Structure formats: C-alpha cells, structure tokens
Amino acid sequence: MAFSLVRLVYLLGFFSCIALLLAGRLFYLQILEGSMLTTASLNSRIQEISVDVARGDILDCHGVPLTNTALHFSIVVFPDHVSDASSTARQLAILTNLDQESIITKLKTQRPFKVKTNIDAVMAQKINNARISGVLAVAEKVRYNYTLLASHVVGYTNVADNRGVSGLESMYDDILRGNQSEYLAAFVDAGQQLIPGLGYKRLHVAGQSQSSNILLTIDREIQKIVEAKMDQSIEKGAVVVMRPSTGEIVAMASRPNFDANHLSDYLERNASPLVNRAVSAYQPGSVFKMVLAAAALETKAVRPGDVFTDPGFIYVNNQQFKGWDYDQGGRGRITFTDAIAYSSNPVVIQVALKLGAANLISWSKKLGFGQKTTLNFDGEADGNLPVPDTLYPGDLANLSIGQGSLEASPIQVATMISTIANDGIKPDPLLVKELRSSDGVTIKRYPLTGGSRILSQQTAAALRDMMMAATRYGTGQAAYVEKVGSAGKTGSAETGHYDNKGNSLSHAWFAGYAPLERPEYVIVIFVEKGMSGGDVAAPIFRDIATETLKIK
C-alpha cells in the first residue's frame, strides 16, 4: 500500500511537470511569439507584389493637382495560378505584342511579376475581360502629368525607392513620401489555390506616417500661359513670375523641358534639360544697371536729373568700353534717367567710377546678389559677386554693366525688381504656402514675411521712372503693355562664345513689372544666347504680361 502511494505521488509529479512544460510552451507560442507566428502563417497563405504607392499631391494655389493627375495600368501575373503556361504566354503575346518565349521564362520564376506597365485603360479592360487564369490588370497612379507642366518646379523621383531626387520632390521628400506601402495580394490555401471569396485583393499597409500634400503659390493657369509662350519662343532659358507685394512665385519655368516619366531619354542630351535655369546663374548684362542706379541714388552719388555726356564710348585706364549704339555715334548730353532708359554704357561706367567698388558691391548684396534667395530652392545657385579689393577700374566698369565675373539667377533678378516695384521693400520669395494632410487638413502654414526695407521710397520711385522710360522711349519699348502700361529693363550679356560665323553670342534678358499703377506681377525673361534683350526678351515679356493680367 505504501509502495503504491509513493508511485502515485511520483506519477502525479511527473504529469504535473509535463503539464507545466506544456503550459509554458503554449504561453511562449501564443503570447510571446503569437504575433510573429500569425504573420508567418498568413504570409504562407498570401502571394503579393508591390504596386506603385502614390506620393502626396503637389497642388497649385487653388488646390488643383500638378501631380497624380492620371492613371496607367500594369499587367500582373501570379505563376502559381496559371493553369497552362504556353496558352497564357500565347494569349499575353497576342494582347501585348511581347515575346512569347520571354513570358514563358518569367512564368518559371514562381514569384508574382509585372509583365508590362503603362498600358492604357482599353488594354487593361481587354486583359481582365479575357479572364486568363493568374493574370490581371491593375490601376496605378501616374505621378507626372503628360502636359509636362512645372516640371522643374515639381522635380522627379527615383523609381527604384520612390524617393525625391530634384525640385520639390527632393525638398519635401519626407512629407510627400510618408511611410507606407501597397500590394496586390492573392489569398491562397495550403495547396496554393485561391480562397473563394478572397481571391485577389489590394492591400494598403500603413506605416508610422502617411504621405501629405503641399500647396504652392504657383497658379496653374499663369504657369500654362508662361510655358505655352516659352514653347513658342525660348529654346533655352527661364521665366519667373512673382507678386512683388508678397514674394509669391506664381509661375516658374525652364527650357528645355523634360518628361519625368521618361528620364533616361534626357540624361545624355547636350542641352541639359534637367537643369533648372530659373535658379541657375548667368551674366545679367544691363539688367544689373538697376542695381548700379539704386546704389548711386541711395549714396547720393548722382541724382536722376544729373546730365552726362555719352560719346558712344569711354576709356578706363586705356581700355575702351563701347556703348551698344557705338556705331550711331553716342547719345550726347543726357540725364541719368535717360542713360538707364537708353542703357548707356559710357554714362553708367562714369557713375560706377564715382560710386566706387565697395559701395556697388555692398548694395548688390543688399539687393540679393551673390547669395541664394530665402527660397533656397533645390539646386539654387549663389551667383557670383567679386570682392571689392580685387576690382581694378576696368573690372569695376565691366561689373557696372553686368559683365565680367558677375553672375545672377532669374530668381535673384526677380527679387531685385520686386524690391523696386514694392516701393523699396524687398520681399522674401515664397513657393510653398501650406502642408496638408491627405484629407485636406492644414498641418503647417508658411506665412508671408512682409519683407524688409532696402531702398528709400524716393529711390524706388526714381528707379520706377527709369524703368518706365525704358518701355516708353528707351530700349524696352517692345515690352510695353497696352492700356495698363509696364516698366522694365533690357539686358544683353556677352557670353564669350561665338557662333560658326564668328559672331559674339549674348544672353537676352528683360526684367520688369505690370501694370504701372499698383504692380501685380514682376516678370523676368531669360533667353540663353538669345542675343538682344530688347528684340527677343522684351516681346515675350509683353505677351506673357498681357495674357496674365486677363486672369482674375
């Protein structure tokens, strides 16, 4: 009896240990590892392939999308669900014009794959109506519109990792990309057969953050006007349109253009279509004379009515500087206002020598030259301002007429002209107004700064008179806008390059504003190697300003 009781105790102890071990194992599997094992189990019952995840929208100032504006379709194949590889390959080859043998080779991979992307809706419907086992067409958003509107502003992404590479896509990559993924999944049983009622499903897997949208100051309608005119008249160059009172950029474009859907087509082109010329630096030519005039008036080196003599040329340390109208014999005695209107090199150089290099460089910096604007756009250039101590009189003469080592970008020129049009207050350029959630809720707003006073009201008014004179009887007459008027300054900047006939090549500029009363827009036209600012850039300004002012 005692022996049997001992045995019973041992047996109870043994089974108790077994029970504890089993309980511990169950706790480990169900509680500690339950989530992982569940996921693993589900994964073994799901076959998936990633599909394009739409990044956040880039919207114009009215909320109209500049991205994600269209759909394309991709053909997806699940090899495990293909009943007859040869028949499937033959059907796909007929529908898509792809090679039948290459499709058969892919079918042997046993992993879902895309056989063709970027098909249209008609083809997608044909594929799905054919009900080919294991094959279906799925919709994916096209990131970039086919109108190529604002390409250099928007920028582009790396298709491999969906990350922004240039433009706003790069600058706001974290906001636009978020942390999420999307799959086309096939739910299968243990025999890898589709589960009835589930079949193919599109799964959206959210991460820690969703993509958000950005609202721009760009006005899509004005951008369209600008780009349509550029396609007619500018092979290489840039246009910037800015509200001088706020610094809001309502249009910004560069040429040559590019299609972000087919980037590889542009990588080896000599014209550098991926370069954003609106924020790149070039010699500004006589447009820079407005900076010289501002510095001279602010320091009281001259007054608008002071009279000078323009013989058509000037010698500086035995170096001759000719006026653009040298062959006409010069302008004779003219006021400083007329000298700017007629773009007189001899008079401007006389004033520069009186002003001095230090003063000219100082005021150039105040007006935004030699440094990025507060926009700090992707790839934006600093431009170049020489150091005053390195400037000999001949160098100063070159600088005063916008030549030599001086370089500036169209966005810098637009900011300078806006300062004059805005009564001497320099605005901070603005391109992004808001960050918005995917459901339209404002996350962050970028307020207008109000700018800072750089020039006195008296100086700004005198400079506007000079620019108005340029369009009424000076070099910029082709830029005059009927009824409402316009004002501006021409520029023809020597590049140091020559055509095959030995003729010197110049960049053509026109920078101005319209209308004359309460200026609404500053417009800067830059035509790379366009030759004459007055003959080439000024008419483009007039046409863009005329059409833009019609928009209410």
Side-chain angles (χ1 to χ4, degrees), residues 508-520:
W509 291 80
F510 188 87
Y513 63 85
L516 288 176
E517 298 296 326
R518 295 187 179 88
E520 293 182 39

Side-chain angles (χ1 to χ4, degrees), residues 292-304 306 308 336 350-356 359:
L292 178 282
L297 294 175
E298 282 290 321
T299 58
K300 300 186 178 356
V302 297
R303 291 170 298 181
D306 286 353
F308 296 83
F336 185 51
Q350 291 176 56
V351 173
L353 295 174
K354 183 177 181 180
L355 178 68
N359 277 328

Side-chain angles (χ1 to χ4, degrees), residues 22-34:
L22 288 172
R25 182 62 175 168
L26 286 172
F27 177 81
Y28 174 78
L29 293 175
Q30 292 186 357
I31 305 301
L32 299 182
E33 296 291 328

